[in-house]
């Protein structure tokens, strides 16, 4: 599988098959999220629910595997990406774009998972139709437990797997744990009801994935077209 992803691309002479497939899938998944949002607006909760779960799991599964194979995140932070054109592109264009991309990846991943979790808590089946409950939300003990497990995995990845410097370690901890936790606590305060919370978070999730498509396309263009 790794050899296939590392093979020659079909959209650019300098790209790999995996990078081209990533761009196509990024466009496809973004479109699927808009379609899922359309079904939600039309009151077709069950169709929306199934489409969101299938799309999100497929997207996370592929991109996590591909980021691991390509090691783009580590190479970007370590300045190990080589450009065929002038070096000023990395400092003036690619670096801010890819850092923004990583920030949106973190936020969109958290928001998408959070939206799915609130969807499960907020939904109820009434006469075979999936509806949202207009109830006050409570802080989940399971959510906190999963959060601490994720923190342990993140600490292992930072200090054991890669051995990043303290500056990068702090940045990854903020982006990977403390920022999402702070956002979750803020959401709990400003969106206390399950129905409104799920609707607002769902719209934010779609907007973030649209931004993610923009940064993905820019990164691809800088790496393989310019």
């Amino acid at each position: 599988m790794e050899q296939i992803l590392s093979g020659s691309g079909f959209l650019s002479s300098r790209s790999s098959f995996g990078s081209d497939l990533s761009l196509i899938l990024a466009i496809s998944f973004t479109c699927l999220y808009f379609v899922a949002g359309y079904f939600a607006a039309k009151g077709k909760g069950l169709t929306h629910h199934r489409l969101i779960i299938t799309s999100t799991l497929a997207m996370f599964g592929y991109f996590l595997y591909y980021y691991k194979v390509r090691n783009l995140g580590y190479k970007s932070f370590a300045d190990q990406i080589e450009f065929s054109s002038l070096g000023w592109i990395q400092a003036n264009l690619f670096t801010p774009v890819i850092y923004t991309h990583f920030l949106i990846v973190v936020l969109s991943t958290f928001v998408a998972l959070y939206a799915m979790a609130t969807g499960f808590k907020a939904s109820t089946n009434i006469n075979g139709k999936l509806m949202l409950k207009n109830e006050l939300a409570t802080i989940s003990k399971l959510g906190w437990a999963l959060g601490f497990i994720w923190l342990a995995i993140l600490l292992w990845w930072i200090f054991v797997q890669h051995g990043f410097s303290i500056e990068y370690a702090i940045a990854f901890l903020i982006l990977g744990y403390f920022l999402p936790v702070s956002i979750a606590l803020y959401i709990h305060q400003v969106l206390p009801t399950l129905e409104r919370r799920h609707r607002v978070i769902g719209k934010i999730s779609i907007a973030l994935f649209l931004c993610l498509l923009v940064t993905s396309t820019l990164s691809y263009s800088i790496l393989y077209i310019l």
Side-chain angles (χ1 to χ4, degrees), residues 88-165:
W88 63 268
I89 290 180
Q90 180 177 15
N92 297 306
L93 193 57
F94 179 75
T95 299
V97 167
I98 200 67
Y99 277 35
T100 303
H101 176 72
F102 290 143
L103 177 60
I104 298 176
V105 165
V106 172
L107 292 175
S108 60
T109 300
F110 166 74
V111 171
L113 292 175
Y114 192 87
M116 288 177 61
T118 57
F120 280 110
K121 290 181 64 175
S123 61
T124 182
N125 196 316
I126 300 177
N127 297 325
K129 191 175 182 179
L130 208 60
M131 305 291 291
L132 294 176
K133 297 179 290 186
N134 190 21
E135 299 178 358
L136 288 175
T138 58
I139 296 179
S140 171
K141 294 181 179 179
L142 177 61
W144 279 108
L146 293 175
F148 283 121
I149 293 173
W150 166 246
L151 177 60
I153 295 173
L154 189 61
L155 288 170
W156 170 83
W157 181 80
I158 292 172
F159 294 107
V160 178
Q161 185 73 8
H162 288 293
F164 287 112
S165 64

Side-chain angles (χ1 to χ4, degrees), residues 20-34 59 63 67 97 100-101 104-105 108 205-221:
D20 288 354
L21 182 61
S22 293
L23 182 62
I24 297 298
L25 288 178
I27 296 172
S28 302
F29 286 130
T30 304
C31 292
L32 285 175
Y33 271 99
F34 276 104
M59 179 186 65
F63 283 113
Y67 269 87
V97 167
T100 303
H101 176 72
I104 298 176
V105 165
S108 60
S205 178
I206 293 175
L208 284 173
F209 278 110
L210 182 60
C211 294
L212 198 59
L213 176 61
V214 173
T215 57
S216 298
T217 305
L218 284 174
S219 301
Y220 179 92
S221 300

Side-chain angles (χ1 to χ4, degrees), residues 156-212:
W156 170 83
W157 181 80
I158 292 172
F159 294 107
V160 178
Q161 185 73 8
H162 288 293
F164 287 112
S165 64
I166 189 65
E167 293 84 2
Y168 284 129
I170 292 174
F172 280 124
L173 285 172
I174 291 174
L175 291 175
Y177 182 77
F178 292 105
L179 180 61
V181 168
S182 300
I183 293 174
L185 293 175
Y186 178 74
I187 290 173
H188 185 73
Q189 293 295 322
V190 299
L191 298 171
T193 60
L194 290 172
E195 180 181 6
R196 176 165 172 74
R197 178 181 297 185
H198 183 64
R199 294 187 188 280
V200 172
I201 297 302
K203 292 177 181 178
I204 293 174
S205 178
I206 293 175
L208 284 173
F209 278 110
L210 182 60
C211 294
L212 198 59

Side-chain angles (χ1 to χ4, degrees), residues 39-99:
F39 283 128
K42 291 297 183 179
K44 298 181 179 181
L46 189 59
T47 305
H48 162 81
H49 182 77
R50 290 172 176 170
L51 185 57
I52 282 290
I53 291 177
T54 304
S55 302
T56 302
L57 292 179
M59 179 186 65
F60 285 160
Y62 171 75
F63 283 113
L64 282 174
Y65 178 76
Y66 182 60
Y67 269 87
K68 179 180 181 299
V69 171
R70 193 177 176 204
N71 210 14
L72 178 60
Y74 178 77
K75 289 182 178 179
S76 300
F77 278 103
D79 292 335
Q80 294 177 0
I81 295 180
E82 297 181 358
F83 292 87
S84 59
S85 52
L86 299 176
W88 63 268
I89 290 180
Q90 180 177 15
N92 297 306
L93 193 57
F94 179 75
T95 299
V97 167
I98 200 67
Y99 277 35

